[in-house]
Amino acid sequence: MADTIKIQTKTKKQKVIADVALIILLIAAAVGAYFFWLFSRDVGAYAVVYINGEEVARYPLAADTEVTFNTPDGSSFNTLVIRDGKADVTDAGCPDRICVNMRSISFEGETITCLPNRLVVKIEGGESPGVDLP
Amino acid sequence: MKTMDEKSKSAANEGVFNISSERKKGLKPNLKRINTKKLAELSVFTSVAMILSYVEALIPSVGIPGAKLGLANIAVIFILYRFGWREAAAVSLVRVLLVSLLFGSIPAMIYSIAGATLSLIVMVLLKRTDTFSSVGVSVAGGVSHNAGQIAVAAFMLGTKEIAYYMPVLIISGIIAGIIVGLCGAVLVKYVKY
């Protein structure tokens, strides 16, 4: 019984080699996709702030500024700082403060999200402001 | 054989598919007979998969949103190896539907179905090639699960930017797939009944 199985299927060693090859291939694909993304992205022009999915403010990345947004019920806040062409949330009243720990953003499509305060800072392009899909 | 065809044709012409009337004629019902033992076993595995989904929802996500272990896939892998692809597909689909109805929402259900379907197709095809062990099969399944979800998300949200998240999800899919594949292999080897 064991012999017939051995004849029909590949050995365990061959399969492990195939597994490792598959994993290496997938990692290579991930790294490739990452570098493609890294070199194909464009520097954005505006930091756009959304609260509850609605745009509330838009700041050019070229000008340094610091603004604080209170949540609609006033219980919490997020501080947005734009410096050296990068937008960053430097302080927040939300409990998890994930948004504060997120890196500063400057490329088109990058976002900083604060789920408890329902606030999203998104970098958008400069060519056609307002034309972008929501 | 021909008479069988004619008889079933006449049964179809009667309009209503009636098992008892076919039994009277001495014909097997047109339905494939369901093995009760297998049905019970698959039900147990479906509930195991559901519990695994629930347990996984209790584990907090480790920093990467959307990255999940896919513990329920252990049950699917086990069934795929122990029974076959039909049974795995059935359990996977029932699991997704029930878990979404119990704990999730409709959008979550669409994501889950897309991920589960793509992952199942990839796993079945890879298993058939007989080139990979259960670890390789489940790694491919984990990655394609994430790819399916990203594809649906990109379609539903109308944004391609979410695809930039794919590298992270490929890596997390590989890690989850290795863990799930090893668990599945251990189960297939040692669970006897």
Side-chain angles (χ1 to χ4, degrees):
Chain A
M1 187 66 192
D3 286 343
T4 55
I5 287 172
K6 253 183 192 171
I7 291 161
Q8 280 167 355
T9 66
K10 295 198 174 172
T11 62
K12 211 174 176 182
K13 202 179 167 189
Q14 278 176 311
K15 286 192 174 182
V16 170
I17 291 169
D19 286 351
V20 172
L22 177 76
I23 291 167
I24 290 172
L25 198 75
L26 285 170
I27 291 174
V31 172
Y34 175 72
F35 277 103
F36 176 77
W37 164 76
L38 209 59
F39 290 114
S40 65
R41 62 186 184 168
D42 300 316
V43 176
Y46 292 97
V48 187
V49 181
Y50 297 88
I51 293 176
N52 275 327
E54 283 174 42
E55 181 179 333
V56 292
R58 177 180 285 261
Y59 302 97
L61 288 175
D64 290 1
T65 182
E66 183 171 339
V67 224
T68 297
F69 293 92
N70 289 311
T71 49
D73 61 0
S75 65
S76 186
F77 68 96
N78 296 80
T79 304
L80 171 72
V81 173
I82 295 173
R83 189 171 295 139
D84 303 329
K86 287 181 177 182
D88 195 12
V89 174
T90 55
D91 198 8
C94 55
D96 58 9
R97 290 169 67 86
I98 288 173
C99 51
V100 180
N101 291 325
M102 286 175 90
R103 282 190 211 168
S104 55
I105 52 175
S106 59
F107 291 99
E108 235 178 272
E110 279 189 306
T111 55
I112 292 176
T113 311
C114 180
L115 283 178
N117 292 356
R118 299 179 143 269
L119 174 133
V120 175
V121 181
K122 188 177 179 188
I123 303 296
E124 292 183 4
E127 290 83 44
S128 52
V131 182
D132 290 10
L133 286 168
Chain B
M1 197 61 203
K2 204 178 179 184
T3 54
M4 280 277 281
D5 276 353
E6 280 166 6
K7 275 183 187 172
S8 59
K9 250 182 203 169
S10 68
N13 286 338
E14 280 167 20
V16 184
F17 182 78
N18 195 332
I19 295 176
S20 59
S21 77
E22 292 216 333
R23 283 224 178 103
K24 276 175 199 162
K25 287 173 194 168
L27 268 175
K28 271 187 186 174
N30 206 6
L31 297 163
K32 205 178 170 187
R33 280 183 75 187
I34 298 163
N35 183 334
T36 314
K37 183 169 177 255
K38 195 161 118 182
L39 180 67
E41 281 168 8
L42 291 180
S43 311
V44 169
F45 286 120
T46 307
S47 54
V48 167
M50 286 174 64
I51 289 294
L52 287 173
S53 301
Y54 180 68
V55 167
E56 187 175 86
L58 296 178
I59 302 169
S61 168
V62 211
I64 314 159
K68 288 202 289 179
L69 269 175
L71 289 177
N73 209 22
I74 296 173
V76 176
I77 283 275
F78 179 78
I79 295 163
L80 185 62
Y81 276 83
R82 183 55 66 82
F83 294 97
W85 71 270
R86 285 185 189 85
E87 289 80 359
V91 167
S92 182
L93 189 70
V94 171
R95 197 267 308 175
V96 168
L97 288 176
L98 288 179
V99 167
S100 302
L101 288 174
L102 285 173
F103 313 118
S105 55
I106 296 297
M109 183 153 92
I110 297 169
Y111 289 123
S112 302
I113 289 176
T117 310
L118 188 65
S119 135
L120 195 81
I121 291 170
V122 168
M123 288 197 296
V124 168
L125 291 178
L126 278 196
K127 185 180 172 287
R128 285 210 167 174
T129 64
D130 195 31
T131 310
F132 303 100
S133 76
S134 63
V135 175
V137 169
S138 94
V139 163
V143 172
S144 54
H145 184 275
N146 290 344
Q149 289 199 325
I150 282 281
V152 169
F155 181 73
M156 293 214 318
L157 302 175
T159 168
K160 286 179 287 178
E161 284 148 7
I162 197 157
Y164 298 147
Y165 199 49
M166 201 55 220
V168 178
L169 286 185
I170 291 177
I171 301 297
S172 80
I174 291 171
I175 295 166
I178 291 171
I179 296 168
V180 166
L182 289 175
C183 291
V186 168
L187 287 179
V188 171
K189 196 174 174 188
Y190 291 107
V191 173
K192 309 276 187 217
Y193 48 83

